[in-house]
Amino acid sequence: MPDSHFEEVRSLHLFAGMSDDSYARLMRAAYVQSFPPEVELIAEGESADFLHILVSGAVDLYAEWNGRRTSMATVRPVSTFILAATIRDAPYLMSAVTMEKSRIVMIPSQDVRQVFDEDGDFARAVVVELATCYRSVVKAQKNLKLRTAQERLANFLLRQQQRAGGAAEFDLPFEKRRLASLLGMTPENLSRTLRALQAYGVLVDGARVRIGDQQDLERFARPSPLIDDPAS
Amino acid sequence: MPDSHFEEVRSLHLFAGMSDDSYARLMRAAYVQSFPPEVELIAEGESADFLHILVSGAVDLYAEWNGRRTSMATVRPVSTFILAATIRDAPYLMSAVTMEKSRIVMIPSQDVRQVFDEDGDFARAVVVELATCYRSVVKAQKNLKLRTAQERLANFLLRQQQRAGGAAEFDLPFEKRRLASLLGMTPENLSRTLRALQAYGVLVDGARVRIGDQQDLERFARPSPLIDDPAS
DNA sequence: CGCCGATTTGAGAGCTTTCAAACTTTGTGG
DNA sequence: CCACAAAGTTTGAAAGCTCTCAAATCGGCG
């Protein structure tokens, strides 16, 4: 593996606190791979043979049932995904597909479990990572069950605006069809709902969004740290 | 704390593997408390001062936003709840209320974090517990996003039937209003949807449910281990 | 330019919610 | 033990929201 990735991954919270020894063991059989867009990395139901770490690019986690499909989350660098399945040695609950050209570090699951069994520091880091993932899914579920589609969209836009440094204008980070799926609606409905938010000063042109009156949109969206804060 | 609870809690997967020493430290400041039904144990947004372990009874985890309320999960003995907030030393994301008379062991969060920092075995057990919780929320989210209300209800009934040992008749485990909220619908809609499942041989009388033709209901519900299996 | 996929728009159907009222169940006090 | 009150459940009607299907439009790329 190139040194640059080696160091980049090392600096992740998950690996930062462990001994050089354990880290070396973890990386011994690990390798980096580059993928073009739209490549299926893992499929729901398969056994979790590798822990994946996204170094660059973007990955969509989705799930399917009975012919339907929904986006569950978007993974951005640098972060791991599907840690829980690796630890539990259980089947993946979600599929993963690259959204763009992506570089991914893959560590054999059995190495992760072995180091996990031997290195308490690593085990503790895994806990913190998992607790964070757990809390973020709980937030996603609250978002789904407590808010209407319009409210979810409004809050999503406000979060995007924050990510854009508070600018009044910014671009949507991915296709609208994927956004619709993430928010739990159809593309058609997203289109209409975006339009409905004009009433709160939202203007959309293609992927470009302009938030005319943040206060007004916030009054409608009522963002809450217990649902919308990415960390915590 | 009474010895009976002491042993019962000790036998939980979360505590089974740790040293007597660590366990004693964890339990030093812990105490058991009995609560009548409908008691608010913790409120969303509060800081996580105690890890809770339900020894007997039942607890509803719910969340609120903007005046709306939804049930997120039901906790059954013997299990812990809100472990992630304790570990992260972060605010609770959900509120908890007793559904029946319940006995609950409360361990100060700082003790949990301290033992967690010192005892690798405990840290590893926490990981397994958290990974399981994480996976169960992911399943709940797939259930919500991929299935219609009717399908969620049908699968819920099949799961209940399993819990009842496969009997054709069984009782719903809690009030219908709570079930409706768990499944993400209104009580009125649950009532109508139960009726709609007559088409697949489901008969309801009060809390009593009779599944006339399991095969038929399964053909409609299409249960999947990646959504409906409680463990794994 | 012309094709292909993504997005938008329209219309209609279907599902879910809301509101109101009737009915049932549960628990309490007389 | 009965009557009553309070809460939970069911039913009906209407409104609102979301989905589906179909067609039109937009946008990027060869």
Side-chain angles (χ1 to χ4, degrees):
Chain A
M1 170 173 356
D3 283 354
S4 64
H5 297 320
F6 192 86
E7 287 310 320
E8 199 166 18
V9 171
R10 179 70 158 130
S11 70
L12 281 181
H13 177 266
L14 186 57
F15 305 109
M18 68 198 302
S19 67
D20 285 339
D21 202 42
S22 296
Y23 186 63
R25 173 123 40 115
L26 212 49
M27 288 301 148
R28 201 171 36 192
Y31 58 97
V32 193
Q33 204 168 344
S34 266
F35 298 95
E38 305 302 325
V39 171
E40 296 286 328
L41 299 169
I42 61 186
E44 192 178 340
E46 285 177 354
S47 66
D49 296 329
F50 294 91
L51 173 64
H52 291 62
I53 303 162
L54 179 67
V55 174
S56 70
V59 168
D60 181 47
L61 300 182
Y62 68 92
E64 288 173 307
W65 178 80
N66 205 16
R68 290 166 220 163
R69 172 176 170 155
T70 189
S71 275
M72 299 287 288
T74 300
V75 183
R76 298 262 168 209
V78 180
S79 52
T80 64
F81 56 95
I82 325 252
L83 179 56
T86 294
I87 292 294
R88 292 283 322 261
D89 195 10
Y92 294 124
L93 294 178
M94 300 183 275
S95 303
V97 60
T98 54
M99 294 162 60
E100 329 163 348
K101 190 168 176 308
S102 301
R103 261 176 317 190
I104 291 167
V105 176
M106 296 166 75
I107 307 176
S109 291
Q110 61 184 73
D111 292 345
V112 176
R113 284 192 294 271
Q114 191 188 340
V115 173
F116 167 76
D117 283 337
E118 293 166 1
D119 185 330
D121 287 326
F122 181 56
R124 276 181 278 274
V126 170
V127 165
V128 173
E129 177 91 358
L130 272 181
T132 308
C133 291
Y134 171 75
R135 287 171 64 87
S136 87
V137 191
V138 169
K139 287 174 194 166
Q141 201 180 335
K142 289 170 66 174
N143 193 31
L144 264 179
K145 291 186 77 175
L146 291 168
R147 289 174 171 162
T148 64
Q150 213 174 119
E151 289 162 347
R152 294 197 294 277
L153 176 57
N155 278 291
F156 174 85
L157 293 179
L158 287 169
R159 231 177 314 157
Q160 281 316 113
Q161 190 191 22
Q162 275 191 306
R163 281 188 45 161
E169 279 197 23
F170 55 90
D171 283 325
L172 293 176
F174 34 69
E175 283 181 314
K176 285 182 184 169
R177 73 220 289 305
R178 201 190 307 277
L179 175 56
S181 185
L182 262 177
L183 295 176
M185 49 179 138
T186 57
E188 294 96 325
N189 198 21
L190 171 62
S191 186
R192 287 185 255 264
T193 305
L194 272 171
R195 181 156 272 221
L197 288 183
Q198 276 188 14
Y200 304 99
V202 175
L203 266 177
V204 181
D205 177 47
R208 193 102 194 132
V209 176
R210 176 177 181 78
I211 297 198
D213 184 348
Q214 186 181 338
Q215 308 272 313
D216 196 24
L217 189 57
E218 276 175 351
R219 242 185 328 270
F220 169 71
R222 297 185 170 275
S224 154
L226 297 179
I227 301 182
D228 303 289
D229 272 16
S232 92
Chain B
M1 171 177 349
D3 283 355
S4 64
H5 296 321
F6 193 85
E7 287 311 320
E8 197 166 21
V9 171
R10 179 67 156 130
S11 70
L12 281 181
H13 178 266
L14 185 57
F15 304 111
M18 68 198 302
S19 67
D20 286 338
D21 201 43
S22 296
Y23 186 62
R25 173 124 38 120
L26 211 48
M27 288 300 149
R28 201 171 37 195
Y31 58 97
V32 193
Q33 204 167 344
S34 267
F35 297 95
E38 305 302 324
V39 171
E40 297 285 329
L41 298 170
I42 61 186
E44 195 176 342
E46 286 177 354
S47 67
D49 296 330
F50 294 92
L51 174 63
H52 290 62
I53 302 162
L54 179 66
V55 175
S56 70
V59 168
D60 181 48
L61 300 182
Y62 68 92
E64 290 173 306
W65 177 79
N66 206 18
R68 290 166 222 163
R69 171 175 171 157
T70 190
S71 276
M72 300 287 287
T74 299
V75 183
R76 297 264 168 210
V78 179
S79 54
T80 64
F81 54 96
I82 325 252
L83 178 57
T86 293
I87 292 294
R88 293 282 325 260
D89 195 10
Y92 294 124
L93 293 179
M94 300 182 274
S95 303
V97 60
T98 54
M99 293 162 61
E100 329 163 347
K101 190 167 177 307
S102 302
R103 262 176 317 190
I104 291 166
V105 176
M106 296 167 75
I107 307 176
S109 290
Q110 62 183 69
D111 292 345
V112 175
R113 284 192 293 270
Q114 191 188 339
V115 173
F116 168 77
D117 283 337
E118 293 165 2
D119 185 331
D121 287 325
F122 181 56
R124 276 181 279 273
V126 170
V127 164
V128 174
E129 176 92 358
L130 272 180
T132 307
C133 292
Y134 171 75
R135 286 170 65 87
S136 86
V137 190
V138 169
K139 287 174 194 166
Q141 202 180 335
K142 289 169 67 173
N143 194 32
L144 265 179
K145 292 186 77 175
L146 290 169
R147 288 176 172 161
T148 64
Q150 214 173 119
E151 289 161 347
R152 293 197 296 276
L153 176 57
N155 278 291
F156 174 85
L157 293 179
L158 287 169
R159 232 177 312 157
Q160 281 316 113
Q161 191 192 19
Q162 276 191 306
R163 279 188 46 162
E169 278 198 24
F170 56 89
D171 284 325
L172 293 175
F174 34 70
E175 285 181 313
K176 286 182 184 171
R177 72 218 291 304
R178 202 189 308 277
L179 175 57
S181 185
L182 263 178
L183 295 176
M185 47 180 137
T186 57
E188 293 95 327
N189 198 23
L190 171 61
S191 186
R192 287 185 254 264
T193 306
L194 273 171
R195 183 158 268 223
L197 288 183
Q198 275 188 14
Y200 303 99
V202 174
L203 266 176
V204 180
D205 176 47
R208 193 103 193 131
V209 177
R210 175 177 182 79
I211 298 198
D213 184 347
Q214 187 182 338
Q215 308 272 313
D216 196 26
L217 188 56
E218 276 175 352
R219 244 187 324 272
F220 169 71
R222 298 186 170 275
S224 155
L226 298 179
I227 301 181
D228 303 289
D229 272 16
S232 95

